[in-house]
Amino acid sequence: MAIKLTKEQQEILDGKHGDTKKRVLKTLIMYGETFGAKKLVKVTSKYNHLVTAFGLKALGPVYNLLNKLLEDGAKSGQQFSVDPRPLDKNVPANFLQKLIFNKFMYSKQDFYEKQLKELGLMNEDAFTCTAYMPEVGNTPKKGEVLSWSESSAVVYANSVLGARCNRNSGIMDLMGSVVGYVPYFGLLTDEGRKAKWVVKVNTTKKPEAQLLGSAIGMKVMEDVPYVVGLDKWLGKKLDDETCSYLKDFGAATASNGAVGLYHIDKLTPEAKELGKDLIEKGAKEYVIDDAELERVKKSYPVVWKNPNAKPKLCFMGCPHMSLEQLISWTKKLDTALNSVNRKKVYIKTVFTASPGVVKEFEKTGYASRLKEMGVIVSSICPLMYMNNPLCGKMPVITSSNKLRTYTTARYYTDDEILSQITKGGKA
Ligand code: F3S
């Protein structure tokens, strides 16, 4: 065995903590050895985050696995948050869609949520991909070792918070939490956190977060990029607006490529601390200007059946929006609708945010204003909502590059979305 175990780990492998934990540890060892790990290290974060939040009928083996863990007392060593639910009765769906969602696709949702509670779900509101936001309370600290798997959350935790986590698969995240160890390789190591790419941002205006992230993700794939020139547009402080930008930017790098960590010169914690020492010798270079962003945007295929169809639904908030984004979008919509003398949005629009953020938003006067303008606020996962043949046929628009990548939703920049939903696309 290439992995050297500590005394405690060896005891688990010898079955002294039960047969189930022994098997879980063995799985982690095999996983680690595949990636060249030489040891297992302790998971040090207070909470875990699981990616599998949907009670899909087809996930029988997952439910059996969770039952086995529960029966054998091999519960998650940590409490955890989990990705957003796939269902919300407030999000528009026709009779047939509702039937398919409730009776076929997600018929095991209640059963699965019961299992999650028994395993150690943080609380009823812990269903979001932005668990790291203060309103949710699962915010890892710098240097902490995690066993997470949601790609948008992993890249945020690594890059903006300075925690250490690999891009684990779903279920493997749970395994790490059950025994409290993860294999030491990749983004857990100093070496693995070095940049193989230097990305130079030379745009004439603040680049769209989702477009810049997409361009970088598609170029560097799973490598770590060190981005220079972005501090000119974002400043040198990780305030709410900048964190929201980096959330969307990171999700696009992680979904349009497979980025698990990025460094932003003069801004993100490790870049501030170590600067250009984080760049590997011989790193490749990628220059991004206005023309390059335009080229990337034009490369997205339009997969609607009728490319000229009138949009039926607009989804904003993949990953879930922050409080700052909900408020700034309410203000933007208010101004835009007033300028065209309209009271409500043209297209059915859903803004998604974590239950914790929605609760805080509802304490502000903006929530009722957003409702008056016809926007629905939900904590659903738009991808899970759209991931079926019925919704696939629907012309949906979004400014999320993750949603565009995994569904038939069509990407527009934030300004284009604003124009579509307030003026029906007219300039
Ligand atoms: Fe979050 Fe679902 Fe998008 S988990 S990142 S809203 S795909």
Side-chain angles (χ1 to χ4, degrees):
M1 195 163 69
I3 288 187
K4 293 232 169 337
L5 300 178
T6 62
K7 192 167 162 265
E8 193 195 339
Q9 292 162 357
Q10 189 61 54
E11 281 178 9
I12 298 174
L13 192 66
D14 291 343
K16 291 194 179 143
H17 298 258
D19 187 54
T20 303
K21 280 201 175 175
K22 169 184 169 169
R23 286 164 191 259
V24 170
L25 193 83
K26 203 169 171 196
T27 308
L28 285 164
I29 291 171
M30 284 160 67
Y31 168 52
E33 287 188 339
T34 310
F35 290 95
K38 298 275 184 290
K39 61 178 176 178
L40 303 174
V41 290
K42 256 194 191 338
V43 174
T44 57
S45 62
K46 183 166 181 202
Y47 298 113
N48 192 21
H49 180 82
L50 303 184
V51 72
T52 320
F54 37 90
L56 260 183
K57 203 176 177 183
L59 289 183
V62 173
Y63 311 131
N64 294 344
L65 172 75
L66 298 197
N67 262 346
K68 180 83 187 135
L69 292 174
L70 285 167
E71 272 166 26
D72 295 357
K75 282 195 183 183
S76 170
Q78 305 162 288
Q79 285 194 307
F80 53 82
S81 47
V82 62
D83 264 9
R85 293 183 168 107
L87 299 168
D88 178 354
K89 59 180 175 6
N90 297 320
V91 175
N94 62 32
F95 176 75
L96 198 55
Q97 284 169 327
K98 280 184 191 155
L99 187 77
I100 290 199
F101 287 153
N102 295 309
K103 295 269 176 258
F104 298 100
M105 284 183 71
Y106 301 120
S107 58
K108 302 288 274 182
Q109 192 64 30
D110 290 347
F111 172 81
Y112 181 55
E113 287 191 20
K114 197 168 158 275
Q115 282 190 321
L116 290 177
K117 265 183 218 154
E118 285 175 42
L119 266 173
L121 183 68
M122 281 169 72
N123 54 55
E124 274 291 318
D125 285 348
F127 286 88
T128 176
C129 44
T130 56
Y132 44 78
M133 286 189 180
E135 296 84 356
V136 186
N138 183 358
T139 317
K141 295 191 184 75
K142 186 167 180 290
E144 281 184 346
V145 175
L146 323 179
S147 179
W148 290 13
S149 55
E150 160 55 44
S151 67
S152 67
V154 168
V155 74
Y156 189 93
N158 273 323
S159 315
V160 182
L161 304 175
R164 296 197 169 208
C165 186
N166 278 316
R167 281 177 53 113
N168 301 296
S169 63
I171 300 301
M172 203 53 85
D173 53 4
L174 180 60
M175 303 257 175
S177 189
V178 164
V179 288
Y181 294 107
V182 282
Y184 185 70
F185 69 92
L187 298 175
L188 262 49
T189 68
D190 288 346
E191 218 33 53
R193 295 178 77 84
K194 290 216 163 153
K196 290 199 165 98
W197 284 85
V198 175
V199 178
K200 293 189 172 160
V201 177
N202 278 349
T203 53
T204 58
K205 56 182 193 300
K206 183 176 176 179
E208 193 83 7
Q210 298 265 4
L211 204 48
L212 181 66
S214 164
I216 295 176
M218 287 198 277
K219 177 65 81 177
V220 312
M221 294 312 292
E222 77 277 19
D223 289 342
V224 178
Y226 189 99
V227 183
V228 294
L230 196 54
D231 56 302
K232 177 176 168 193
W233 304 109
L234 300 186
K236 294 179 178 57
K237 251 181 69 192
L238 287 170
D239 57 16
D240 290 349
E241 195 183 337
T242 299
C243 286
S244 300
Y245 182 101
L246 293 178
K247 161 184 76 76
D248 291 340
F249 163 81
T253 66
S255 56
N256 287 215
V259 173
L261 163 69
Y262 57 80
H263 302 294
I264 309 288
D265 192 39
K266 304 187 180 79
L267 184 61
T268 51
E270 278 155 272
K272 270 194 153 167
E273 218 173 272
L274 302 166
K276 299 201 167 121
D277 288 349
L278 281 169
I279 302 169
E280 265 189 14
K281 254 202 192 121
K284 289 177 254 182
E285 191 177 287
Y286 177 34
V287 179
I288 298 186
D289 54 15
D290 300 344
E292 175 62 358
L293 288 182
E294 200 46 38
R295 181 195 68 76
V296 169
K297 186 169 175 243
K298 283 204 174 117
S299 73
Y300 301 150
V302 177
V303 288
W304 288 0
K305 215 169 165 194
N306 170 11
N308 300 316
K310 186 175 175 292
K312 277 220 164 66
L313 188 62
C314 169
F315 266 125
M316 297 289 287
C318 169
H320 279 172
M321 290 166 100
S322 64
L323 184 59
E324 180 273 328
Q325 285 178 309
L326 282 176
I327 293 173
S328 66
W329 266 96
T330 307
K331 290 181 186 166
K332 275 200 275 190
L333 277 177
D334 203 359
T335 310
L337 284 175
N338 275 333
S339 74
V340 289
N341 257 329
R342 271 188 74 89
K343 294 218 172 333
K344 286 189 187 270
V345 285
Y346 254 92
I347 301 165
K348 278 182 191 154
T349 300
V350 180
F351 284 1
T352 64
S354 67
V357 164
V358 173
K359 277 187 182 161
E360 287 306 309
F361 182 59
E362 277 166 356
K363 290 180 192 163
T364 71
Y366 296 105
S368 54
R369 182 68 198 108
L370 191 61
K371 200 170 172 194
E372 277 165 15
M373 293 188 283
V375 174
I376 296 161
V377 177
S378 168
S379 294
I380 200 175
C381 168
L383 195 154
M384 286 298 124
Y385 171 93
M386 284 194 67
N387 219 351
N388 65 79
L390 284 181
C391 290
K393 286 188 189 141
M394 219 202 266
V396 175
I397 59 171
T398 183
S399 72
S400 163
N401 235 322
K402 179 167 181 179
L403 196 61
R404 173 197 71 79
T405 304
Y406 292 122
T407 69
T408 52
R410 187 164 176 175
Y411 172 81
Y412 287 98
T413 63
D414 281 352
D415 283 350
E416 288 167 340
I417 290 278
L418 187 64
S419 163
Q420 290 259 10
I421 60 179
T422 57
K423 302 175 192 163
K426 295 173 213 101

